Amino acid sequence: MKKRVRIAPSLLSADFSEIGRQTETLEKAGCEYLHLDVMDGIFVPNISFGQVVVRSLRPCSKLIFDTHLMITDPERYIKAFADAGADIITVHAEACPDPAGVLRGIRALGKKAGISLKPATPTSAVIPLLEYADLVLVMTVEPGFGGQKFMADMLPKIRELREAIDLSEREIILECDGGIDILTAPRAAEAGADLLVAGSSVFRGDEAANFLLLTAAANAG
Ligand code: DX5
Ligand code: ZN
């Protein structure tokens, strides 16, 4: 049976004066994941939010907090995000000298460990790490900003990683992040992604309706 593809709305595109209400609305619409983009202004040329926002949201939501750390030397903050209530903590392969050690550290805190790669990073940077990972995140835009165009040339990378994950016979979520809308969601799903991050295409107007439309598009194939 075909696996159902999930949409993870990215809080980055939400209205920050309304995030409690917006996440509740999404949860009521059947959403399971909330993608939390953490940016330090060094690894990426933008600053977003940190663990205090995760901690404030935690008591209001049962959503799976899918935390995407776009920060240099993320090992310094793993415990802070785990304590704040993150469920999945994803770090960038390019951001740490010993990604396997960081992934092991995340699991040791009882959290799911994710590894992400920027568009220019080859799959060979993460394939040797699959045994330490619960999630692999393929960036389909340059990390740093919402609202960018989907890089279709990343589709072969998604396919390659789908194959490597299937071959490993491990339970690893394959996530794709950046430029997902109703046209690109089916393409990423067809290439083998299980979880699609969507920021601007969800928080543009009615977030629950957009979430449902994207879920339907991703599962239409
Ligand atoms: C970009 C972030 C994404 C971003 C996606 O660095 O990692 O999660 O919020 O936004 P959209 O869906 O608008 O491309
Ligand atoms: Zn992200």
Side-chain angles (χ1 to χ4, degrees):
M1 207 182 77
K2 234 183 127 212
K3 253 192 294 179
R4 193 166 168 73
V5 177
R6 262 81 177 171
I7 300 294
S10 166
L11 196 70
L12 192 62
S13 297
D15 173 349
F16 274 71
S17 67
E18 293 271 355
I19 54 177
R21 185 196 59 73
Q22 289 184 322
T23 51
E24 198 188 320
T25 306
L26 285 165
E27 200 167 337
K28 282 196 183 127
C31 181
E32 293 161 67
Y33 290 85
L34 183 67
H35 187 81
L36 300 157
D37 285 307
V38 177
M39 303 179 181
D40 66 353
I42 296 169
F43 182 71
V44 288
N46 197 7
I47 295 175
S48 57
F49 54 82
Q51 66 273 27
V52 292
V53 171
V54 181
R55 191 181 307 124
S56 303
L57 271 175
R58 188 67 285 181
C60 326
S61 173
K62 289 195 176 58
L63 294 169
I64 300 167
F65 283 4
D66 170 31
T67 315
H68 178 192
L69 300 185
M70 285 163 275
I71 65 178
T72 299
D73 297 329
E75 60 279 8
R76 298 174 294 157
Y77 293 100
I78 297 305
K79 185 154 185 327
F81 282 96
D83 290 347
D87 297 297
I88 304 170
I89 301 177
T90 296
V91 297
H92 268 267
E94 309 85 359
C96 33
D98 174 25
V102 182
L103 295 172
R104 272 198 299 260
I106 297 170
R107 280 183 169 172
L109 292 165
K111 305 297 176 181
K112 290 212 159 129
I115 186 78
S116 180
L117 65 177
K118 297 209 280 189
T121 306
T123 57
S124 57
V126 302
I127 290 174
L129 299 171
L130 292 184
E131 64 179 294
Y132 310 108
D134 302 294
L135 179 146
V136 173
L137 169 53
V138 179
M139 289 306 305
T140 41
V141 295
E142 281 303 335
F145 300 91
Q148 302 180 74
K149 191 174 176 291
F150 181 79
M151 297 169 71
D153 51 341
M154 292 298 115
L155 289 167
K157 203 167 173 180
I158 299 174
R159 283 199 188 92
E160 245 177 76
L161 285 164
R162 174 79 273 158
E163 225 171 86
I165 289 170
D166 289 349
L167 253 166
S168 76
E169 295 185 349
R170 295 176 189 278
E171 266 204 37
I172 299 172
I173 297 171
L174 182 54
E175 183 173 33
C176 154
D177 183 3
I180 293 292
D181 57 24
I182 49 167
L183 297 176
T184 56
R187 297 173 74 193
E190 188 275 325
D194 307 300
L195 184 60
L196 310 179
V197 177
S200 45
S201 62
V202 168
F203 294 101
R204 183 193 288 141
D206 182 335
E207 58 272 0
N210 291 335
F211 164 79
L212 293 171
L213 270 173
L214 282 164
T215 302
N219 289 284

